[in-house]
Every structure is written in structure tokens, then in C-alpha cells.
Amino acid sequence: NDHPSTIVPRDAATVMLLRDSDAALEVFMMRRTLNAAFVGGFYVFPGGAVDDADRDAEVEARCDGLTDADASEQLNVPTGGLAFWVAAVRECFEEAGFLLARTRDGSRPAVSDVERKAVHAGELSMEELCRRHDLVLDLSAIRYVAHWVTPVGEGPRRFDTRFFLAAAPD
């Protein structure tokens, strides 16, 4: 077993979804299952690890409003910053069913729950989902706000997480 100090944190992305209503500002959170391997029972924002497919060069062609160079500069990493935004969109869709994307003509995407589950299972990549529905990930509407790393000793998993802020879709 790895010693907690030697566990290398995995890159991860989390989205804080907000919506302004007549009554107040609404914040979307989910309660993790009590059986979850990481922070079971906690209330969390949708998010998770950056996958290899999030780093695929073809996915950049499906992104609007942000290049890898600009994303990397914002995150203060040499390259690969765009993958954090892609992971944020994917995780938000997988876990919460909110797809922060639009069709190329600007309309709301009509994506099925079966496809959401396929993305979650790793059977369908975000790039393939985008190609299938002619979608673009609207990254200009997703703001980077924070960078947190899970402290040493907090368990067998550690994450190097970028937090993003976005308006919750209707």
C-alpha cells in the first residue's frame, strides 16, 4: 500500500453550478452515496478525475471560447489546461445530467439519458457525443475560480482539483 505522502494527486475538475432566482441565488450540489470510496455521504459539486480522452487533441476542435494555450495560461500549466475544462463539462453531464454545450446553430442539445450513462461508463467519449449531435462545448461561459489539492493523509485518494463556476442550465 502506498504511504499517504507518496500518493500522487490525480488531476480533477469540479463545477459549481449557480442559478439566480427571484428568491435567492441557488447552488447545485449532490449528495454522494454513503458507499462511495471517496467522501461518501458528503454534499459535493459535480466533478471528478480528468480522463485521457479529455486530453484528446480532437476534442479541442469541439471547444468554443477557449484554446489549450489560453486555458493552460489561466491554470499556470505548460500545456493541457483545456482538458480540465473538458473534464468539468463531462463530469457535470455524467453526474448531474447538465450538459454545458450547445449545437453549432446555438440550439439546446437533445442528448439522451442512455448517452449520458454511456459517457459515464466510458463507452462514449465527449468528442464522440459532440460529433454525434454536432455539439460544441461552450467554455467561454465556464470560469476558473480555484485550485485545491487534497491534503496528505486524507485517505488513499488524492486529487489536484481545478474548480470552475458556470450558470446552471434551465
Side-chain angles (χ1 to χ4, degrees), residues 10-147:
R10 290 184 64 190
D11 287 342
T14 295
V15 183
M16 298 177 287
L17 293 171
L18 303 177
R19 181 172 60 196
D20 199 11
S21 74
D22 292 337
L25 183 66
E26 297 176 343
V27 179
F28 180 83
M29 296 186 82
M30 302 168 39
R31 184 167 188 219
R32 292 183 54 85
T33 178
L34 294 172
N35 299 329
F38 185 75
V39 294
F42 281 49
Y43 287 90
V44 297
F45 300 111
V50 176
D51 292 343
D52 289 340
D54 300 328
R55 301 181 193 282
D56 192 313
E58 290 185 19
V59 80
E60 187 169 0
R62 294 290 179 174
C63 296
D64 189 36
L66 191 65
T67 65
D68 183 63
D70 291 336
S72 298
E73 184 177 330
Q74 285 187 49
L75 301 183
N76 198 27
V77 296
T79 61
L82 191 67
F84 287 89
W85 267 264
V86 173
V89 171
R90 179 184 49 74
E91 288 285 346
C92 188
F93 178 55
E94 286 180 8
E95 293 186 355
F98 291 114
L99 182 55
L100 303 174
R102 59 176 167 71
T103 62
R104 287 205 189 266
D105 68 9
S107 63
R108 173 156 286 200
V111 178
S112 73
D113 196 51
V114 170
E115 290 170 307
R116 182 189 66 78
K117 289 177 182 173
V119 171
H120 189 262
E123 299 162 357
L124 180 65
S125 72
M126 281 301 295
E127 194 280 327
E128 172 59 29
L129 180 74
C130 288
R131 194 168 356 110
R132 196 180 272 189
H133 293 279
D134 198 25
L135 300 177
V136 291
L137 306 182
D138 187 9
L139 304 184
S140 65
I142 303 171
R143 301 284 183 238
Y144 171 60
V145 293
H147 178 202

Side-chain angles (χ1 to χ4, degrees), residues 1-7 152:
N1 230 345
D2 290 329
H3 188 274
S5 65
T6 63
I7 297 171
V152 172

